[in-house]
């Protein structure tokens, strides 16, 4: 089994609900807390598992804003695990989730430098590395209803841009949508074989703007009529 996320870039609106839900859940989860620095000060900051980058692509008037959520990709060949000198970073054989043992991590940053996705963040207060756990304490919680055993970011997404499932199961919903929509991995050329996939933005026919700002025949006729008719 290889658990991971599929993110549909075509419908992600960049609302940050996934990041907020992640922050809220993981402030009390297995690797909690996600530290906040000066949360009520002039320059609040903190540790996040999930961040959303926004890009503008194309030229006006055919440009478009792409919102790109980024978190740990849970790579099959994870370099962050290979370089860890203490064995704190490890990959679970049973489901492919990459985790950090907080009792072994010494905050050397090697894993952060090895990760090409910028998915790890050093918690300055604990001196240990933090990263996405796919809400492992939630997805295996048998007390919860089955439909709620998903990462918090997936459950909260108002646009349903996120899906969670087993990539090794060819019939799972995530595998099917990857095949049908041409889902892709980020930077596959590096050879890490990330589990998370992205669905591309659908191609849309550009709307012509040639006549924008020009008054058409109907509007010109209305203008003439308004001048003639006394009200």
């Amino acid at each position: 089994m290889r658990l991971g996320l599929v993110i549909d870039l075509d419908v992600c609106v960049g609302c940050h609900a996934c990041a907020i839900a992640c922050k809220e859940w993981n402030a009390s989860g297995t690797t909690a807390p996600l530290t906040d620095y000066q949360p009520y000060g002039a320059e609040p900051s903190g540790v996040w598992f999930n961040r959303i980058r926004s890009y503008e692509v194309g030229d006006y008037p055919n440009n478009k804003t792409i919102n790109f959520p980024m978190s740990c990709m849970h790579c099959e060949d994870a370099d962050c695990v290979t370089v860890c000198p203490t064995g704190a970073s490890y990959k679970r054989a049973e489901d492919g989730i990459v985790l950090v043992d907080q009792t072994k991590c010494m905050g050397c940053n090697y894993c952060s430098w090895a990760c090409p996705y910028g998915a790890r963040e050093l918690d300055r207060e604990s001196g240990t590395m933090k990263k996405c756990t796919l809400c492992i304490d939630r997805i295996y919680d048998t007390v919860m209803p089955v439909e709620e055993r998903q990462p918090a970011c997936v459950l909260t997404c108002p646009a349903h841009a996120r899906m969670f499932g087993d990539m090794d199961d060819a019939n799972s919903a995530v595998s099917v949508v990857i095949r049908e929509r041409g889902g892709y991995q980020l930077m596959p050329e590096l050879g890490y074989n990330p589990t998370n996939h992205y669905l591309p933005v659908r191609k849309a026919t550009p709307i012509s703007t040639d006549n924008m700002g020009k008054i058409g025949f109907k509007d010109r006729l209305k203008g003439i009529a308004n001048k003639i008719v006394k009200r």
Side-chain angles (χ1 to χ4, degrees):
M1 183 165 64
R2 192 160 55 103
L3 298 176
L5 300 172
V6 174
I7 300 171
D8 189 346
L9 299 179
D10 194 51
V11 297
C12 177
V13 295
C15 66
H16 290 69
C18 54
I20 299 299
C22 168
K23 185 82 171 177
E24 190 280 333
W25 177 258
N26 287 291
S28 57
T30 300
T31 59
L34 285 184
T35 306
D36 288 324
Y37 312 123
Q38 303 181 34
Y40 304 107
E43 297 182 357
S45 183
V47 180
W48 297 77
F49 285 172
N50 188 33
R51 293 182 183 271
I52 296 89
R53 275 86 174 180
S54 296
Y55 304 92
E56 195 73 11
V57 297
D59 298 319
Y60 180 83
N62 300 319
N63 54 328
K64 182 179 177 64
T65 300
I66 304 295
N67 301 294
F68 212 104
M70 292 279 291
S71 59
C72 174
M73 301 289 168
H74 299 279
C75 301
E76 185 172 350
D77 187 11
D79 226 18
C80 57
V81 173
T82 306
V83 301
C84 181
T86 66
S89 288
Y90 65 101
K91 185 174 180 65
R92 287 162 51 102
E94 60 268 39
D95 54 20
I97 298 176
V98 176
L99 296 176
V100 179
D101 185 337
Q102 298 293 301
T103 64
K104 295 181 179 178
C105 181
M106 60 180 186
C108 66
N109 273 297
Y110 281 179
C111 60
S112 178
W113 297 333
C115 175
Y117 305 111
R120 290 173 172 244
E121 296 195 19
L122 180 67
D123 185 332
R124 299 200 302 267
E125 289 195 352
S126 67
T128 58
M129 196 60 66
K130 300 288 179 67
K131 64 175 289 300
C132 165
T133 66
L134 282 180
C135 290
I136 194 168
D137 53 339
R138 182 183 187 99
I139 61 177
Y140 288 114
D141 187 348
T142 55
V143 176
M144 284 189 170
V146 175
E147 62 273 16
E148 293 185 14
R149 295 177 200 169
Q150 298 187 62
C153 61
V154 175
L155 288 172
T156 198
C157 180
H160 303 291
R162 288 171 170 261
M163 298 178 67
F164 170 70
D166 182 9
M167 306 293 175
D168 280 348
D169 179 0
N171 296 317
S172 67
V174 288
S175 294
V176 171
V177 77
I178 289 172
R179 285 198 302 273
E180 292 181 348
R181 290 278 310 280
Y184 62 91
Q185 300 166 310
L186 198 60
M187 294 190 282
E189 66 275 14
L190 298 178
Y192 296 159
N193 194 15
T195 301
N196 288 2
H197 282 66
Y198 291 90
L199 301 182
V201 176
R202 294 179 176 86
K203 292 183 179 179
T205 303
I207 299 174
S208 175
T209 58
D210 292 343
N211 295 323
M212 289 184 67
K214 295 181 180 178
I215 300 175
F217 174 76
K218 188 176 179 180
D219 291 328
R220 288 201 300 271
L221 189 61
K222 281 184 179 179
I224 295 172
N226 285 334
K227 290 180 181 177
I228 296 174
V229 177
K230 294 183 179 178
R231 304 177 188 278

